[in-house]
Amino acid sequence: MRAAAPRAFPVKQHRSQQTRQRLLQAGRALLQSGSFDGVSISQISARAGCAVGSFYQRFRNKEACFEFLLDETVAELRMHTIQTLTIESMRGLGVTGTLHRCVEHFVEISREQQGLVRAALQYSINGTSNWQPVRDMGMWLQQHYIGLILHGSRSRERDRLAQQLRIGFHVISGHLVNLAVHPQGVLPIDHPHLADWLGGIVTHCLRVRPSAAHPRLSASRRTRRK
């Protein structure tokens, strides 16, 4: 089996590493306001302050640069979340306070990485699997949030609460992805009350009893009443 071509070529010298980081930062910045197809290697190189040849010395092509940037960003986000969103940092907030802090974090990340999320979704339309790292990161974040919220709960019905939280975070995750693709939605991603609104959705899901939310069960109850 042929080995996969490297996404980025090895760099040893400090100056070369700095150039690679400038290229990655330039690519990230350009994606914030543009699409993957609309960003060119020459634009990335110009914004990074280096020649196109320098780009090709460090990355095989634009796709490889994007994939390397995606992997690096996911690793950084995971590490930063583990370090900042801890049980200790949530102490005293209770279930509601912890829930809203987690939603705020989700919104902050979505704002900062909306260009990368949009590019990954557009890139995946061409038949690649590069939406998977974004999807996996989203699922990991949600599980991390749920663990923190449940830690502050005294309820014995942890499995039920976990399921309701998964539903709530799944709903707002889809909304945040939609805002990355369509920034000028009804409630834009930079709206100051977005986190409060989305937090209310998760809170609502947490309060709804599963039996009342299940259409088949509700229908059967109506039939028995008749």
Side-chain angles (χ1 to χ4, degrees), residues 95-96 98-100 102-103 106 142-153 157-173 199 201-208:
V95 172
T96 301
T98 302
L99 186 154
H100 280 276
C102 290
V103 172
F106 209 3
Q142 292 172 50
Q143 285 302 114
H144 188 73
Y145 298 151
I146 291 170
L148 291 172
I149 295 167
L150 290 180
H151 186 271
S153 173
E157 299 180 292
R158 294 175 68 85
D159 289 343
R160 176 180 66 81
L161 293 179
Q163 177 65 9
Q164 289 170 288
L165 286 169
R166 277 193 289 271
I167 293 171
F169 276 108
H170 184 74
V171 170
I172 69 171
S173 175
I201 291 177
V202 181
T203 301
H204 174 75
C205 291
L206 196 59
R207 291 172 179 168
V208 174

Side-chain angles (χ1 to χ4, degrees), residues 10 31 42-43 52 60 69 85 90-91 97 112 155 158 162 212:
L31 287 172
S42 60
Q43 287 176 317
V52 171
R60 190 173 72 257
L69 173 60
L85 254 65
M90 300 295 173
R91 193 175 301 279
E112 293 171 0
S155 174
R158 294 175 68 85

Side-chain angles (χ1 to χ4, degrees), residues 74-90:
V74 166
E76 290 173 355
L77 287 176
R78 187 183 291 254
M79 182 60 66
H80 183 264
T81 301
I82 291 173
Q83 292 174 346
T84 58
L85 254 65
T86 64
I87 291 174
E88 183 62 31
S89 69
M90 300 295 173

Side-chain angles (χ1 to χ4, degrees), residues 165-201:
L165 286 169
R166 277 193 289 271
I167 293 171
F169 276 108
H170 184 74
V171 170
I172 69 171
S173 175
H175 186 75
L176 288 170
V177 170
N178 185 63
L179 288 180
V181 179
H182 307 288
Q184 302 303 319
V186 176
L187 199 63
I189 199 166
D190 59 350
H191 195 286
H193 300 307
L194 178 61
D196 292 335
W197 185 73
L198 296 181
I201 291 177

